[in-house]
C-alpha cells in the first residue's frame, strides 16, 4: 500500500512540476483526501515527498535533503500535538453536551410554583453565571393566604453546587403545604444539608413567610445576604437581619425569626450576593446604586423592577456576570 501511494504521489508531483496548472493542484487536493483515509501521518507525507523528489531531481544539493529531514522531525511532534489537541477538543465538546443536559435536568428538577395571592405582586429572576445555577428559589404556599419563599446560595459553583441544590429542594418538598415557621424551615433544611453533602460545602438561605391576611412577613436567615425592606412612605431601605449559621455547619444550629408589617407599595427585596457584589473595572458596585435603581422603578410592577435592576447591573459589568444572579421582590399592592 505504501509503495502504491509513493508511486501515485510521485506521478502527481511530477505532473505539477511540469505544468503547474490549476488542474494539477486539484488532483493533488483530491489525493490528500486519500492520504487522510489511509491514516497517513504528516511526517509520512513529507517522507513520501522527499522520496519522490529524490527520484525526479537526483542532483539537488544535500542541504535540500537535510531540510526535509528537519521538517520530518518537526512534523512528528506536530502530529502528536495536533492529535492531543483534537482529542482535547472532542472531550471538551462531550463535556459541553453533558453540561447542557445537566443544566436542562436541573432547570426541570428545581422548578417551583409561583404563589398567587391577592395583594401581593411577585417578581423574580435567577441567572446562572455558568451553565449550572448555584442559586435557588423555592415557594411554599397554602390555602390560608401564606406565601413562603426560600432564597438559597451554595458556596461554590458548577455541578457540585447544582447537586447540592437538589438536596435543598428535597428538603423543601417535604415542607410543602406545611405551616412551618422560618425557624422550623431553616432547622429542617440544615439537618438535611448537614447529613447529605460534603463537609466542604455550605449553603446560605433566607426564608420568609408572608401572611396576606395581616400583610406581615416573618423571616429568618442562615448566614444569607440580608433582605431589604423598602418603605414606600418614607422612601427608606431597611436591612432585615436575622442571626443564624450557614446550613450544614452544625446539626444543632438554631435560627432567629422576626416579623415586619408591610403597608401599601412596601417591598421586600431578597437576593444573593451575585446582586450585591457586582464589580466594574473601578471596583465593587455600591449598595446605594442598587437602592437608586429600585427607587427609580418603585411604581412599576415587581417583575419590571427586577428586570431593570438586572439589565442595569449587566450593563455596568459589560454583560459579564461574575456570580449567579438571583433577585426576588415581594410588593404589597
Amino acid at each position: 500500500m505504501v509503495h502504491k501511494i509513493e508511486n501515485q504521489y510521485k506521478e502527481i508531483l511530477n505532473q505539477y512540476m511540469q505544468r503547474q496548472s490549476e488542474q494539477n493542484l486539484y488532483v493533488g487536493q483530491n489525493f490528500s483526501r486519500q492520504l487522510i483515509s489511509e491514516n497517513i501521518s504528516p511526517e509520512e507525507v513529507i517522507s513520501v515527498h522527499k522520496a519522490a523528489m529524490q527520484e525526479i531531481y537526483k542532483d539537488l544539493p544535500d542541504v535540500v535533503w537535510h531540510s526535509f529531514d528537519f521538517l520530518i522531525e518537526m512534523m512528528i511532534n506536530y502530529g502528536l500535538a495536533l492529535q492531543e489537541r483534537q482529542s482535547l477538543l472532542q472531550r471538551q465538546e462531550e463535556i459541553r453536551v453533558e453540561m447542557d443536559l445537566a443544566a436542562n435536568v436541573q432547570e426541570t428538577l428545581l422548578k417551583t410554583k409561583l404563589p398567587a395571592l391577592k395583594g401581593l405582586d411577585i417578581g423574580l429572576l435567577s441567572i446562572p453565571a455558568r451553565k449550572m445555577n448555584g442559586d435557588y428559589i423555592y415557594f411554599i404556599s397554602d390555602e390560608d393566604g401564606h406565601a413562603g419563599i426560600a432564597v438559597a446560595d451554595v458556596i461554590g459553583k458548577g455541578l457540585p453546587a447544582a447537586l447540592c441544590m437538589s438536596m435543598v429542594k428535597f428538603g423543601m418538598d417535604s415542607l410543602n403545604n406545611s405551616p412551618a415557621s422560618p425557624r422550623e424551615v431553616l432547622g429542617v433544611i440544615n439537618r438535611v444539608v448537614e447529613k447529605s453533602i460534603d463537609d466542604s460545602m455550605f449553603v446560605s438561605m433566607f426564608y420568609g413567610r408572608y401572611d396576606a391576611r395581616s400583610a406581615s412577613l416573618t423571616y429568618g436567615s442562615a448566614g444569607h445576604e440580608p433582605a431589604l425592606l423598602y418603605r414606600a412612605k418614607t422612601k427608606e431601605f431597611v436591612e432585615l437581619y436575622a442571626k443564624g449559621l450557614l446550613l450544614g455547619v452544625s446539626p444543632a444550629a438554631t435560627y432567629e425569626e422576626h416579623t415586619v408589617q408591610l403597608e401599601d407599595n412596601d417591598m421586600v427585596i431578597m437576593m444573593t450576593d451575585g446582586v450585591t457584589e457586582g464589580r466594574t473595572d473601578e471596583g465593587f458596585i455600591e449598595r446605594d446604586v442598587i437602592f437608586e435603581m429600585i427607587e427609580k422603578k418603585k411604581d412599576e410592577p415587581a417583575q419590571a423592577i427586577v428586570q431593570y435592576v438586572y439589565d442595569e447591573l449587566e450593563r455596568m459589568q459589560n454583560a459579564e456576570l461574575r456570580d449567579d444572579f438571583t433577585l426576588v421582590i415581594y410588593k404589597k399592592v
Side-chain angles (χ1 to χ4, degrees):
M1 178 61 72
V2 174
H3 185 66
K4 179 182 178 181
I5 289 174
E6 287 177 346
N7 288 336
Q8 287 178 301
Y9 184 82
K10 183 178 69 173
E11 179 61 28
I12 293 170
L13 177 63
N14 192 31
Q15 291 292 329
Y16 174 76
M17 298 301 285
Q18 290 178 16
R19 300 183 179 87
Q20 297 182 17
S21 68
E22 291 292 332
Q23 180 62 30
N24 296 132
L25 281 175
Y26 179 72
V27 173
Q29 290 170 354
N30 285 336
F31 186 68
S32 68
R33 296 188 180 92
Q34 181 181 341
L35 295 176
I36 293 173
S37 67
E38 297 290 346
N39 202 27
I40 305 298
S41 65
E43 65 270 18
E44 289 174 321
V45 173
I46 296 170
S47 294
V48 170
H49 181 78
K50 178 184 176 182
M53 288 288 288
Q54 285 175 326
E55 289 196 33
I56 298 171
Y57 302 102
K58 301 182 186 301
D59 56 348
L60 286 177
D62 289 342
V63 66
V64 175
W65 311 123
H66 294 330
S67 72
F68 281 118
D69 294 335
F70 175 76
L71 187 57
I72 289 170
E73 291 300 319
M74 282 190 60
M75 286 299 101
I76 291 174
N77 287 327
Y78 172 81
L80 292 173
L82 180 62
Q83 185 179 19
E84 183 178 351
R85 180 176 181 275
Q86 290 173 333
S87 177
L88 178 60
L89 289 174
Q90 181 180 356
R91 180 57 184 153
Q92 287 178 330
E93 177 61 18
E94 291 172 355
I95 292 174
R96 186 193 67 78
V97 171
E98 290 174 359
M99 289 300 291
D100 285 343
L101 177 60
N104 290 334
V105 171
Q106 183 196 35
E107 184 178 357
T108 301
L109 179 66
L110 301 186
K111 278 184 178 179
T112 183
K113 186 177 180 180
L114 192 70
L117 291 184
K118 184 178 180 180
L120 182 65
D121 181 21
I122 301 175
L124 70 144
L125 196 62
S126 187
I127 307 292
R130 302 178 184 175
K131 289 286 185 183
M132 309 295 288
N133 201 339
D135 291 351
Y136 182 46
I137 302 169
Y138 190 98
F139 292 101
I140 294 178
S141 58
D142 58 34
E143 297 178 355
D144 296 326
H146 295 103
I149 178 173
V151 178
D153 184 3
V154 176
I155 299 176
K157 296 182 178 67
L159 191 56
L163 293 174
C164 179
M165 276 307 172
S166 68
M167 298 309 302
V168 173
K169 182 182 188 296
F170 168 77
M172 295 303 298
D173 282 342
S174 69
L175 293 166
N176 213 347
N177 298 316
S178 166
S181 67
R183 180 187 294 114
E184 294 168 328
V185 169
L186 293 171
V188 169
I189 303 304
N190 176 62
R191 290 189 289 275
V192 171
V193 170
E194 196 275 333
K195 291 179 180 179
S196 306
I197 67 172
D198 187 85
D199 291 341
S200 63
M201 297 193 73
F202 303 100
V203 182
S204 71
M205 179 185 284
F206 174 91
Y207 185 79
R209 188 167 188 258
Y210 181 75
D211 186 338
R213 293 172 299 184
S214 62
S216 63
L217 180 87
T218 303
Y219 65 91
S221 177
H224 195 76
E225 189 76 19
L228 300 171
L229 172 61
Y230 174 74
R231 292 295 191 188
K233 283 186 177 179
T234 60
K235 298 181 180 180
E236 292 179 331
F237 287 89
V238 180
E239 291 188 331
L240 302 180
Y241 284 105
K243 291 182 180 179
L245 286 174
L246 291 166
L247 302 176
V249 174
S250 168
T254 58
Y255 298 93
E256 291 183 351
E257 65 179 34
H258 304 283
T259 300
V260 290
Q261 197 74 29
L262 272 64
E263 298 180 2
D264 288 348
N265 296 316
D266 283 353
M267 291 183 283
V268 177
I269 301 106
M270 297 154 278
M271 69 204 84
T272 58
D273 56 14
V275 178
T276 57
E277 295 182 3
R279 295 188 296 275
T280 65
D281 294 337
E282 288 74 36
F284 283 98
I285 298 171
E286 297 293 334
R287 292 172 69 89
D288 288 345
V289 174
I290 300 173
F291 295 170
E292 289 172 5
M293 294 177 188
I294 296 171
E295 170 70 24
K296 182 177 180 180
K297 296 291 182 178
K298 65 182 186 302
D299 296 326
E300 300 286 335
Q303 188 61 42
I305 301 172
V306 168
Q307 189 65 53
Y308 175 74
V309 172
Y310 172 76
D311 291 342
E312 285 297 295
L313 290 177
E314 185 185 40
R315 180 187 60 78
M316 294 173 68
Q317 297 175 86
N318 298 317
E320 184 178 340
L321 290 176
R322 292 178 171 86
D323 198 357
D324 301 326
F325 177 102
T326 296
L327 180 60
V328 184
I329 291 180
Y330 271 17
K331 183 178 183 181
K332 185 181 183 304
V333 293

